[in-house]
Amino acid sequence: MSGPSKPPLIWLNIFIFLSSFLVAALLVPWYGITNGYGVEHFIWFLVAFSFCNLSITAGYHRLWSHKTYEAHWSLRFLFAIGGAFALQNSALHWSSDHRIHHKHVDNNDKDPYSAKRGFWFSHIGWMLREYNANTYADYSNCRDLHKDKIAMWQHKYYVPLALATNFGIPIAIGLLHGDIIGMLLIVGVLRLVLSHHSTFFINSLAHIWGSQPYTDKNTARDNAVLAVFTFGEGYHNYHHIFENDYRNGIYWWQYDPTKWLIKSCSFLGLTKKLRVTPKIKIEKAKAKQALSTASRNIDQLPNASMLNEALNKEFEALMGKLADYYDLKKQVLEAKKNDLAKKYENSLLKMRYQQMKQDLAAQRRSWESMVAQYA
C-alpha cells in the first residue's frame, strides 16, 4: 500500500539552489585559479554579504516579522532592496511564513519548516516542494504589513527587483573594477549561496545544536558559534520565548551585530520604539528552566522527594527576592525621574535598595549552587 503522495516540486527553486551551488563550488574556484581575485573582490563580497544578511535579520525578521522596533522609510527601503538582493522572497511572504513558524513551532502539520521533520527539511527541503501553497492566498496574518507602502511595493515588484539587484549590482561593480565575470561569481553567486545557507541555518542548525537556557518547550537553541555566521540570530532559544525583543544576544558580550545596527540607527533617528524584555521576565524564565532540568535529574535519585522539596523551596525564595528587588528598583527609578535625586542620595529608599541588591545576589548564588548539583 503506497503512502500519501508528496506535493509537486518547485522547479524554479530547485534550479536556483542547485545551479548557484554548482557555480559557487566549481566555477568560483576555477576562475580564481585561472584569472585570480583581487582584494576588491573580497571587500565587495563582505559588503554585499553583510548588506543582504542584515536586510534579512534586521529588516525581514526583527522589523517586519516581529515588529520589535519602528524604522524610518529610508531604512525600510534599504532593507527592501537588500532583501530582494538576498533572494529570499518578499518581506510580506517571508514574514507570513515566519509568523506561522512561531505560532506553530515544531508542529509538523503547521510549522512551514518544522525542525522535527529533520535537518534537510528545515534547512532547504521545505522550499523544494509546494508544502505551503494554500497559506499564501491573502497573507491574512500580516495585515499590519499591508499598511506598509514600502513592504507592499517590494512585494509587488519583487521579481524585477530581485533580477535587477542580483545581476545589476555585481555587473556595476565589475564595470568599476574591470572584471564583470569575477564580480558576478564572487558578489553575485558566491555571496548568494553563502547568504542563503547562513540564513537557512536558523531554521535548521539553530533548532538542533546548542543549549536551552530559557525554555525546552520547543527545539530552538542558543549557540554563540552560530551567532557569528548569522549576524546574531544564533541566540535562538532566547528569541523563541521572547520574540518581541529587538535583541537576540541580550548581554553586551554576545555577538549580535543586528542588535548593534538597530541600536546605532536609533541614535541617528532612523529607528525608534525599540522593544526590550523586562529583566525580571528573563531571570524568571532562566530560573524556571533550571528548575525543570534539575527536577528531572533529581527524579532519578533515591531521595528525590526530599531533594525536590528543598529545590522548590529555594526556587520560591528566589522568585520572592526577584519580585521585591525589581519592585524596589522601579521605585528608585521613579524617585530619580521626579527630581528627588538629592533626597534620594541619603534616603532610606537607597539603603533598602542596596540591601535588597545584596540579598538578591546572595539568593542567586544559593540557587545557582543548588541547581548546579543537579544540572
mmCIF file with all atom_site columns, all heavy atoms in Angstrom, residues 64-80:
data_model
loop_
_atom_site.group_PDB
_atom_site.id
_atom_site.type_symbol
_atom_site.label_atom_id
_atom_site.label_alt_id
_atom_site.label_comp_id
_atom_site.label_asym_id
_atom_site.label_entity_id
_atom_site.label_seq_id
_atom_site.pdbx_PDB_ins_code
_atom_site.Cartn_x
_atom_site.Cartn_y
_atom_site.Cartn_z
_atom_site.occupancy
_atom_site.B_iso_or_equiv
_atom_site.pdbx_formal_charge
_atom_site.auth_seq_id
_atom_site.auth_comp_id
_atom_site.auth_asym_id
_atom_site.auth_atom_id
_atom_site.pdbx_PDB_model_num
ATOM 1   N N   . TRP A 1 64 ? 9.911  43.510 10.249 1.00 0.00 ? 64 TRP A N   1
ATOM 2   C CA  . TRP A 1 64 ? 8.630  43.182 9.630  1.00 0.00 ? 64 TRP A CA  1
ATOM 3   C C   . TRP A 1 64 ? 7.944  41.958 10.248 1.00 0.00 ? 64 TRP A C   1
ATOM 4   O O   . TRP A 1 64 ? 6.729  41.979 10.440 1.00 0.00 ? 64 TRP A O   1
ATOM 5   C CB  . TRP A 1 64 ? 8.808  43.002 8.130  1.00 0.00 ? 64 TRP A CB  1
ATOM 6   C CG  . TRP A 1 64 ? 8.869  44.309 7.395  1.00 0.00 ? 64 TRP A CG  1
ATOM 7   C CD1 . TRP A 1 64 ? 7.964  45.337 7.475  1.00 0.00 ? 64 TRP A CD1 1
ATOM 8   C CD2 . TRP A 1 64 ? 9.877  44.746 6.471  1.00 0.00 ? 64 TRP A CD2 1
ATOM 9   N NE1 . TRP A 1 64 ? 8.336  46.386 6.669  1.00 0.00 ? 64 TRP A NE1 1
ATOM 10  C CE2 . TRP A 1 64 ? 9.511  46.057 6.029  1.00 0.00 ? 64 TRP A CE2 1
ATOM 11  C CE3 . TRP A 1 64 ? 11.046 44.180 5.966  1.00 0.00 ? 64 TRP A CE3 1
ATOM 12  C CZ2 . TRP A 1 64 ? 10.263 46.786 5.110  1.00 0.00 ? 64 TRP A CZ2 1
ATOM 13  C CZ3 . TRP A 1 64 ? 11.809 44.902 5.059  1.00 0.00 ? 64 TRP A CZ3 1
ATOM 14  C CH2 . TRP A 1 64 ? 11.422 46.190 4.633  1.00 0.00 ? 64 TRP A CH2 1
ATOM 15  N N   . SER A 1 65 ? 8.687  40.912 10.564 1.00 0.00 ? 65 SER A N   1
ATOM 16  C CA  . SER A 1 65 ? 8.038  39.718 11.125 1.00 0.00 ? 65 SER A CA  1
ATOM 17  C C   . SER A 1 65 ? 7.576  39.926 12.561 1.00 0.00 ? 65 SER A C   1
ATOM 18  O O   . SER A 1 65 ? 6.483  39.509 12.940 1.00 0.00 ? 65 SER A O   1
ATOM 19  C CB  . SER A 1 65 ? 8.989  38.513 11.067 1.00 0.00 ? 65 SER A CB  1
ATOM 20  O OG  . SER A 1 65 ? 9.249  38.130 9.744  1.00 0.00 ? 65 SER A OG  1
ATOM 21  N N   . HIS A 1 66 ? 8.429  40.562 13.381 1.00 0.00 ? 66 HIS A N   1
ATOM 22  C CA  . HIS A 1 66 ? 8.146  40.647 14.820 1.00 0.00 ? 66 HIS A CA  1
ATOM 23  C C   . HIS A 1 66 ? 7.817  42.042 15.334 1.00 0.00 ? 66 HIS A C   1
ATOM 24  O O   . HIS A 1 66 ? 7.450  42.180 16.509 1.00 0.00 ? 66 HIS A O   1
ATOM 25  C CB  . HIS A 1 66 ? 9.322  40.066 15.612 1.00 0.00 ? 66 HIS A CB  1
ATOM 26  C CG  . HIS A 1 66 ? 9.502  38.591 15.425 1.00 0.00 ? 66 HIS A CG  1
ATOM 27  N ND1 . HIS A 1 66 ? 8.555  37.669 15.820 1.00 0.00 ? 66 HIS A ND1 1
ATOM 28  C CD2 . HIS A 1 66 ? 10.523 37.865 14.879 1.00 0.00 ? 66 HIS A CD2 1
ATOM 29  C CE1 . HIS A 1 66 ? 8.980  36.446 15.521 1.00 0.00 ? 66 HIS A CE1 1
ATOM 30  N NE2 . HIS A 1 66 ? 10.167 36.541 14.945 1.00 0.00 ? 66 HIS A NE2 1
ATOM 31  N N   . LYS A 1 67 ? 7.972  43.064 14.496 1.00 0.00 ? 67 LYS A N   1
ATOM 32  C CA  . LYS A 1 67 ? 7.648  44.437 14.912 1.00 0.00 ? 67 LYS A CA  1
ATOM 33  C C   . LYS A 1 67 ? 8.351  44.823 16.218 1.00 0.00 ? 67 LYS A C   1
ATOM 34  O O   . LYS A 1 67 ? 7.759  45.434 17.111 1.00 0.00 ? 67 LYS A O   1
ATOM 35  C CB  . LYS A 1 67 ? 6.123  44.599 15.079 1.00 0.00 ? 67 LYS A CB  1
ATOM 36  C CG  . LYS A 1 67 ? 5.291  44.043 13.934 1.00 0.00 ? 67 LYS A CG  1
ATOM 37  C CD  . LYS A 1 67 ? 5.530  44.754 12.631 1.00 0.00 ? 67 LYS A CD  1
ATOM 38  C CE  . LYS A 1 67 ? 4.905  46.112 12.576 1.00 0.00 ? 67 LYS A CE  1
ATOM 39  N NZ  . LYS A 1 67 ? 5.043  46.767 11.250 1.00 0.00 ? 67 LYS A NZ  1
ATOM 40  N N   . THR A 1 68 ? 9.625  44.481 16.339 1.00 0.00 ? 68 THR A N   1
ATOM 41  C CA  . THR A 1 68 ? 10.356 44.754 17.583 1.00 0.00 ? 68 THR A CA  1
ATOM 42  C C   . THR A 1 68 ? 10.814 46.204 17.675 1.00 0.00 ? 68 THR A C   1
ATOM 43  O O   . THR A 1 68 ? 11.301 46.635 18.720 1.00 0.00 ? 68 THR A O   1
ATOM 44  C CB  . THR A 1 68 ? 11.582 43.830 17.726 1.00 0.00 ? 68 THR A CB  1
ATOM 45  O OG1 . THR A 1 68 ? 12.536 44.129 16.691 1.00 0.00 ? 68 THR A OG1 1
ATOM 46  C CG2 . THR A 1 68 ? 11.184 42.367 17.642 1.00 0.00 ? 68 THR A CG2 1
ATOM 47  N N   . TYR A 1 69 ? 10.678 46.950 16.585 1.00 0.00 ? 69 TYR A N   1
ATOM 48  C CA  . TYR A 1 69 ? 11.020 48.378 16.578 1.00 0.00 ? 69 TYR A CA  1
ATOM 49  C C   . TYR A 1 69 ? 10.360 49.017 15.360 1.00 0.00 ? 69 TYR A C   1
ATOM 50  O O   . TYR A 1 69 ? 9.766  48.315 14.526 1.00 0.00 ? 69 TYR A O   1
ATOM 51  C CB  . TYR A 1 69 ? 12.537 48.585 16.535 1.00 0.00 ? 69 TYR A CB  1
ATOM 52  C CG  . TYR A 1 69 ? 13.217 48.136 15.261 1.00 0.00 ? 69 TYR A CG  1
ATOM 53  C CD1 . TYR A 1 69 ? 13.576 49.051 14.279 1.00 0.00 ? 69 TYR A CD1 1
ATOM 54  C CD2 . TYR A 1 69 ? 13.520 46.788 15.040 1.00 0.00 ? 69 TYR A CD2 1
ATOM 55  C CE1 . TYR A 1 69 ? 14.194 48.647 13.102 1.00 0.00 ? 69 TYR A CE1 1
ATOM 56  C CE2 . TYR A 1 69 ? 14.135 46.373 13.872 1.00 0.00 ? 69 TYR A CE2 1
ATOM 57  C CZ  . TYR A 1 69 ? 14.472 47.309 12.906 1.00 0.00 ? 69 TYR A CZ  1
ATOM 58  O OH  . TYR A 1 69 ? 15.084 46.899 11.741 1.00 0.00 ? 69 TYR A OH  1
ATOM 59  N N   . GLU A 1 70 ? 10.434 50.335 15.277 1.00 0.00 ? 70 GLU A N   1
ATOM 60  C CA  . GLU A 1 70 ? 9.931  51.054 14.110 1.00 0.00 ? 70 GLU A CA  1
ATOM 61  C C   . GLU A 1 70 ? 11.112 51.672 13.371 1.00 0.00 ? 70 GLU A C   1
ATOM 62  O O   . GLU A 1 70 ? 12.078 52.101 14.001 1.00 0.00 ? 70 GLU A O   1
ATOM 63  C CB  . GLU A 1 70 ? 8.937  52.141 14.534 1.00 0.00 ? 70 GLU A CB  1
ATOM 64  C CG  . GLU A 1 70 ? 7.650  51.583 15.122 1.00 0.00 ? 70 GLU A CG  1
ATOM 65  C CD  . GLU A 1 70 ? 6.679  52.675 15.541 1.00 0.00 ? 70 GLU A CD  1
ATOM 66  O OE1 . GLU A 1 70 ? 6.924  53.863 15.201 1.00 0.00 ? 70 GLU A OE1 1
ATOM 67  O OE2 . GLU A 1 70 ? 5.678  52.356 16.212 1.00 0.00 ? 70 GLU A OE2 1
ATOM 68  N N   . ALA A 1 71 ? 11.022 51.716 12.053 1.00 0.00 ? 71 ALA A N   1
ATOM 69  C CA  . ALA A 1 71 ? 12.137 52.214 11.237 1.00 0.00 ? 71 ALA A CA  1
ATOM 70  C C   . ALA A 1 71 ? 11.692 53.305 10.278 1.00 0.00 ? 71 ALA A C   1
ATOM 71  O O   . ALA A 1 71 ? 10.569 53.284 9.753  1.00 0.00 ? 71 ALA A O   1
ATOM 72  C CB  . ALA A 1 71 ? 12.764 51.059 10.454 1.00 0.00 ? 71 ALA A CB  1
ATOM 73  N N   . HIS A 1 72 ? 12.590 54.252 10.034 1.00 0.00 ? 72 HIS A N   1
ATOM 74  C CA  . HIS A 1 72 ? 12.374 55.330 9.065  1.00 0.00 ? 72 HIS A CA  1
ATOM 75  C C   . HIS A 1 72 ? 12.198 54.726 7.670  1.00 0.00 ? 72 HIS A C   1
ATOM 76  O O   . HIS A 1 72 ? 12.759 53.670 7.360  1.00 0.00 ? 72 HIS A O   1
ATOM 77  C CB  . HIS A 1 72 ? 13.596 56.266 9.096  1.00 0.00 ? 72 HIS A CB  1
ATOM 78  C CG  . HIS A 1 72 ? 13.428 57.534 8.335  1.00 0.00 ? 72 HIS A CG  1
ATOM 79  N ND1 . HIS A 1 72 ? 13.828 57.666 7.021  1.00 0.00 ? 72 HIS A ND1 1
ATOM 80  C CD2 . HIS A 1 72 ? 12.895 58.727 8.695  1.00 0.00 ? 72 HIS A CD2 1
ATOM 81  C CE1 . HIS A 1 72 ? 13.566 58.888 6.604  1.00 0.00 ? 72 HIS A CE1 1
ATOM 82  N NE2 . HIS A 1 72 ? 12.997 59.564 7.597  1.00 0.00 ? 72 HIS A NE2 1
ATOM 83  N N   . TRP A 1 73 ? 11.456 55.417 6.826  1.00 0.00 ? 73 TRP A N   1
ATOM 84  C CA  . TRP A 1 73 ? 11.182 54.888 5.487  1.00 0.00 ? 73 TRP A CA  1
ATOM 85  C C   . TRP A 1 73 ? 12.460 54.606 4.710  1.00 0.00 ? 73 TRP A C   1
ATOM 86  O O   . TRP A 1 73 ? 12.519 53.638 3.923  1.00 0.00 ? 73 TRP A O   1
ATOM 87  C CB  . TRP A 1 73 ? 10.287 55.842 4.692  1.00 0.00 ? 73 TRP A CB  1
ATOM 88  C CG  . TRP A 1 73 ? 10.947 57.131 4.274  1.00 0.00 ? 73 TRP A CG  1
ATOM 89  C CD1 . TRP A 1 73 ? 10.917 58.320 4.916  1.00 0.00 ? 73 TRP A CD1 1
ATOM 90  C CD2 . TRP A 1 73 ? 11.776 57.333 3.109  1.00 0.00 ? 73 TRP A CD2 1
ATOM 91  N NE1 . TRP A 1 73 ? 11.660 59.270 4.247  1.00 0.00 ? 73 TRP A NE1 1
ATOM 92  C CE2 . TRP A 1 73 ? 12.193 58.691 3.126  1.00 0.00 ? 73 TRP A CE2 1
ATOM 93  C CE3 . TRP A 1 73 ? 12.189 56.515 2.060  1.00 0.00 ? 73 TRP A CE3 1
ATOM 94  C CZ2 . TRP A 1 73 ? 13.013 59.228 2.143  1.00 0.00 ? 73 TRP A CZ2 1
ATOM 95  C CZ3 . TRP A 1 73 ? 13.009 57.053 1.070  1.00 0.00 ? 73 TRP A CZ3 1
ATOM 96  C CH2 . TRP A 1 73 ? 13.405 58.393 1.113  1.00 0.00 ? 73 TRP A CH2 1
ATOM 97  N N   . SER A 1 74 ? 13.495 55.416 4.913  1.00 0.00 ? 74 SER A N   1
ATOM 98  C CA  . SER A 1 74 ? 14.741 55.225 4.160  1.00 0.00 ? 74 SER A CA  1
ATOM 99  C C   . SER A 1 74 ? 15.420 53.907 4.535  1.00 0.00 ? 74 SER A C   1
ATOM 100 O O   . SER A 1 74 ? 15.973 53.215 3.681  1.00 0.00 ? 74 SER A O   1
ATOM 101 C CB  . SER A 1 74 ? 15.700 56.397 4.412  1.00 0.00 ? 74 SER A CB  1
ATOM 102 O OG  . SER A 1 74 ? 15.989 56.522 5.798  1.00 0.00 ? 74 SER A OG  1
ATOM 103 N N   . LEU A 1 75 ? 15.339 53.551 5.816  1.00 0.00 ? 75 LEU A N   1
ATOM 104 C CA  . LEU A 1 75 ? 15.932 52.292 6.273  1.00 0.00 ? 75 LEU A CA  1
ATOM 105 C C   . LEU A 1 75 ? 15.107 51.112 5.771  1.00 0.00 ? 75 LEU A C   1
ATOM 106 O O   . LEU A 1 75 ? 15.665 50.091 5.327  1.00 0.00 ? 75 LEU A O   1
ATOM 107 C CB  . LEU A 1 75 ? 16.012 52.284 7.800  1.00 0.00 ? 75 LEU A CB  1
ATOM 108 C CG  . LEU A 1 75 ? 16.914 51.228 8.440  1.00 0.00 ? 75 LEU A CG  1
ATOM 109 C CD1 . LEU A 1 75 ? 18.358 51.383 7.976  1.00 0.00 ? 75 LEU A CD1 1
ATOM 110 C CD2 . LEU A 1 75 ? 16.835 51.319 9.964  1.00 0.00 ? 75 LEU A CD2 1
ATOM 111 N N   . ARG A 1 76 ? 13.795 51.267 5.796  1.00 0.00 ? 76 ARG A N   1
ATOM 112 C CA  . ARG A 1 76 ? 12.928 50.203 5.285  1.00 0.00 ? 76 ARG A CA  1
ATOM 113 C C   . ARG A 1 76 ? 13.152 49.993 3.788  1.00 0.00 ? 76 ARG A C   1
ATOM 114 O O   . ARG A 1 76 ? 13.121 48.862 3.292  1.00 0.00 ? 76 ARG A O   1
ATOM 115 C CB  . ARG A 1 76 ? 11.456 50.529 5.566  1.00 0.00 ? 76 ARG A CB  1
ATOM 116 C CG  . ARG A 1 76 ? 11.086 50.344 7.036  1.00 0.00 ? 76 ARG A CG  1
ATOM 117 C CD  . ARG A 1 76 ? 9.602  50.568 7.302  1.00 0.00 ? 76 ARG A CD  1
ATOM 118 N NE  . ARG A 1 76 ? 9.272  51.987 7.296  1.00 0.00 ? 76 ARG A NE  1
ATOM 119 C CZ  . ARG A 1 76 ? 8.386  52.559 6.494  1.00 0.00 ? 76 ARG A CZ  1
ATOM 120 N NH1 . ARG A 1 76 ? 7.734  51.830 5.596  1.00 0.00 ? 76 ARG A NH1 1
ATOM 121 N NH2 . ARG A 1 76 ? 8.139  53.849 6.576  1.00 0.00 ? 76 ARG A NH2 1
ATOM 122 N N   . PHE A 1 77 ? 13.417 51.083 3.077  1.00 0.00 ? 77 PHE A N   1
ATOM 123 C CA  . PHE A 1 77 ? 13.703 50.980 1.644  1.00 0.00 ? 77 PHE A CA  1
ATOM 124 C C   . PHE A 1 77 ? 14.988 50.188 1.407  1.00 0.00 ? 77 PHE A C   1
ATOM 125 O O   . PHE A 1 77 ? 15.038 49.302 0.540  1.00 0.00 ? 77 PHE A O   1
ATOM 126 C CB  . PHE A 1 77 ? 13.818 52.383 1.036  1.00 0.00 ? 77 PHE A CB  1
ATOM 127 C CG  . PHE A 1 77 ? 14.199 52.379 -0.421 1.00 0.00 ? 77 PHE A CG  1
ATOM 128 C CD1 . PHE A 1 77 ? 13.261 52.065 -1.397 1.00 0.00 ? 77 PHE A CD1 1
ATOM 129 C CD2 . PHE A 1 77 ? 15.498 52.666 -0.815 1.00 0.00 ? 77 PHE A CD2 1
ATOM 130 C CE1 . PHE A 1 77 ? 13.610 52.050 -2.744 1.00 0.00 ? 77 PHE A CE1 1
ATOM 131 C CE2 . PHE A 1 77 ? 15.859 52.656 -2.154 1.00 0.00 ? 77 PHE A CE2 1
ATOM 132 C CZ  . PHE A 1 77 ? 14.911 52.346 -3.124 1.00 0.00 ? 77 PHE A CZ  1
ATOM 133 N N   . LEU A 1 78 ? 16.027 50.486 2.177  1.00 0.00 ? 78 LEU A N   1
ATOM 134 C CA  . LEU A 1 78 ? 17.293 49.752 2.058  1.00 0.00 ? 78 LEU A CA  1
ATOM 135 C C   . LEU A 1 78 ? 17.093 48.270 2.357  1.00 0.00 ? 78 LEU A C   1
ATOM 136 O O   . LEU A 1 78 ? 17.636 47.401 1.664  1.00 0.00 ? 78 LEU A O   1
ATOM 137 C CB  . LEU A 1 78 ? 18.342 50.338 3.004  1.00 0.00 ? 78 LEU A CB  1
ATOM 138 C CG  . LEU A 1 78 ? 19.012 51.639 2.553  1.00 0.00 ? 78 LEU A CG  1
ATOM 139 C CD1 . LEU A 1 78 ? 19.922 52.169 3.649  1.00 0.00 ? 78 LEU A CD1 1
ATOM 140 C CD2 . LEU A 1 78 ? 19.815 51.424 1.259  1.00 0.00 ? 78 LEU A CD2 1
ATOM 141 N N   . PHE A 1 79 ? 16.316 47.975 3.412  1.00 0.00 ? 79 PHE A N   1
ATOM 142 C CA  . PHE A 1 79 ? 16.050 46.571 3.753  1.00 0.00 ? 79 PHE A CA  1
ATOM 143 C C   . PHE A 1 79 ? 15.267 45.869 2.639  1.00 0.00 ? 79 PHE A C   1
ATOM 144 O O   . PHE A 1 79 ? 15.490 44.680 2.368  1.00 0.00 ? 79 PHE A O   1
ATOM 145 C CB  . PHE A 1 79 ? 15.260 46.482 5.064  1.00 0.00 ? 79 PHE A CB  1
ATOM 146 C CG  . PHE A 1 79 ? 16.047 46.849 6.294  1.00 0.00 ? 79 PHE A CG  1
ATOM 147 C CD1 . PHE A 1 79 ? 15.395 47.324 7.431  1.00 0.00 ? 79 PHE A CD1 1
ATOM 148 C CD2 . PHE A 1 79 ? 17.424 46.705 6.337  1.00 0.00 ? 79 PHE A CD2 1
ATOM 149 C CE1 . PHE A 1 79 ? 16.109 47.652 8.580  1.00 0.00 ? 79 PHE A CE1 1
ATOM 150 C CE2 . PHE A 1 79 ? 18.152 47.032 7.485  1.00 0.00 ? 79 PHE A CE2 1
ATOM 151 C CZ  . PHE A 1 79 ? 17.484 47.509 8.606  1.00 0.00 ? 79 PHE A CZ  1
ATOM 152 N N   . ALA A 1 80 ? 14.366 46.589 2.006  1.00 0.00 ? 80 ALA A N   1
ATOM 153 C CA  . ALA A 1 80 ? 13.581 46.009 0.912  1.00 0.00 ? 80 ALA A CA  1
ATOM 154 C C   . ALA A 1 80 ? 14.482 45.665 -0.273 1.00 0.00 ? 80 ALA A C   1
ATOM 155 O O   . ALA A 1 80 ? 14.351 44.592 -0.884 1.00 0.00 ? 80 ALA A O   1
ATOM 156 C CB  . ALA A 1 80 ? 12.479 46.979 0.483  1.00 0.00 ? 80 ALA A CB  1
#
